Amino acid sequence: MTEREFQQTVIDMARLLQWKVYHTHDSRRSEPGFPDLVLVRDRIVYLELKTETGRVSPEQAAWIAALNAAGGTAMVVRPSDLPRIEEALKKRVEVAALRGEGRAA
């Protein structure tokens, strides 16, 4: 599966599960290394998509680390991760749980 095919599969899955999806189509003027997809629903998830053999650049690793350190959920994913991605996107987090007032659903 190419990265483009993988990306479209993840986008289609996310939209089916009612996530808002953002992708910078022309990243030449964007900050180097920012993740490929930003998904928003009951939380925000940043995904850097790679083929099974694709390498993560130092800039990509730095963005992933910074977003996670700031409380986001950012990760590198590959086509073999599709079942895990689908499972994660199906889960809903109650707003109260995000505020520490309740439990995740």
Side-chain angles (χ1 to χ4, degrees):
M1 178 179 289
T2 67
E3 189 171 323
R4 175 177 238 132
E5 292 168 335
F6 178 40
Q7 178 175 292
Q8 192 59 56
T9 299
V10 173
I11 288 171
D12 292 345
M13 180 188 306
R15 288 189 175 143
L16 183 66
L17 295 168
Q18 300 178 334
W19 288 80
K20 288 196 164 290
V21 178
Y22 175 78
H23 168 67
T24 302
H25 291 281
D26 185 357
S27 61
R28 290 177 292 184
R29 292 185 179 194
S30 297
E31 187 72 24
F34 191 79
D36 295 311
L37 297 177
V38 179
L39 308 178
V40 179
R41 191 180 66 191
D42 49 345
R43 60 195 182 279
I44 188 165
V45 177
Y46 303 89
L47 299 178
E48 178 58 41
L49 284 71
K50 293 291 179 192
T51 63
E52 293 300 333
T53 58
R55 295 183 184 184
V56 178
S57 72
E59 294 86 2
Q60 290 167 332
W63 267 109
I64 296 292
L67 290 164
N68 282 318
T73 300
M75 63 192 87
V76 176
V77 293
R78 301 175 188 278
S80 60
D81 295 319
L82 275 170
R84 184 173 63 97
I85 296 166
E86 181 177 15
E87 181 181 325
L89 295 181
K90 282 183 176 179
K91 290 182 183 176
R92 290 197 174 265
V93 177
E94 295 177 22
V95 173
L98 293 173
R99 294 183 184 137
E101 301 167 7
R103 304 179 354 184

